[in-house]
Amino acid sequence: MIYLDSAATTFQKPPEVAQAVAEAMQTLSSPGRGGYPAAMRAAETAYTCRCELAELFHVAEPERVVFTMNATHALNMAIKSLVPPGGRAVISGYEHNAVTRPLAALGARVSVAAAPLFHPEQVSEAFAQLVVPGVDAVICNHVSNVFGFIQPVEAVAAICRNRGVPLIVDASQSAGVLPLDLEELGAAFIAMPGHKGLYGPQGTGVLLCGREVRTRSLLEGGTGSLSLQQEMPDFLPDRLEAGTHNMPGIAGLLAGVRFLKREGIADICRWERLLALQAAEGLKRMPGVRVFALPGLHAQTGVLSFTVAGQEPEMLAGTLAVQGIAVRAGFHCAPLAHKSAGTLETGTVRASFSRANKEEDVRRFLQVMTGCLG
């Protein structure tokens, strides 16, 4: 199988990730639940992982790195900490359902900073018009999961800082692919999965908490600390980490982060863009194919969407799957992004690349696509 669906999850993990998970199953219990060796090793592993993530994303204190189940879990924590029922939020036109559904459940009044695809300056202008006093939170993804569009989070963050409105960044597609600095952005929260650009296992995620943020608990339960009181602890990370930790997942995430640091974020991004660019150029030469990409992919990561005239994306993806090519088709849990890009009626086929892919994968993908169109 040629796997081109890393925007969903990096299925092809570094070998050391699986090794760390297996070893954790044999050697780690739960952190904060005892002074015996297995518990102490678990506490050390969890703390080391927090420290590595804090260093990578410029978080002042490792305690402000909170482990979650996934980015959706992290985003729910962030949104429900800042937006009250019926509150006001401003979001970009490329948000995932992990943002729009929690806001809908809250009955929030949502304003969309709408802008055309691959026009970051218009995104900034739209936010500048909508971010006003009284807005409870601004939410913006760093990179669209459908189109790989890099949004101007630095400019949006500056607007939020100047106007005193907290910012939540969804870094689901950028963590491990683009530079990300919590302190420089001044964001209230940055949410990310562990299983995409960080090369960790599924079932892991991270919420980075800004220095001055007071958070509300999404879950209540045991933390191994302050067990006699019935309120959740008022300090991080305990306040947001009720229940037993996913120690095999955290151990695997630590191995993934260390792999990422060795490889280098810039080099990984450069490689993924190169492969996506080769795929885009090949697809553009095919009759009836519309590729959502700018020349040089300068406003994109290694995520590429396309459509084929007269073919339903799901049917085409199914045909590719029979030929051993794994892509994703449809609406990618992001109907707002498709509305913004004008693809809401059809959806798209998405090919997304990782460090594990090779140029031969692109050549084979283009060869199979040629056969599908012939």
Side-chain angles (χ1 to χ4, degrees), residues 90-114:
V90 178
I91 66 175
S92 84
Y94 295 88
E95 297 308 311
H96 190 276
N97 281 343
V99 167
T100 58
R101 284 179 172 174
L103 290 171
L106 289 166
R109 292 167 288 165
V110 179
S111 300
V112 178

Side-chain angles (χ1 to χ4, degrees), residues 13-21 45 48-49 52 198-201 248-262:
K13 311 291 185 188
E16 55 264 40
V17 172
Q19 293 167 5
V21 171
T45 299
T48 301
C49 190
E52 296 265 6
L198 300 184
Y199 291 90
I250 291 170
L253 177 59
L254 175 57
V257 169
R258 286 174 169 171
F259 164 82
L260 174 68
K261 288 182 173 181
R262 288 197 307 271

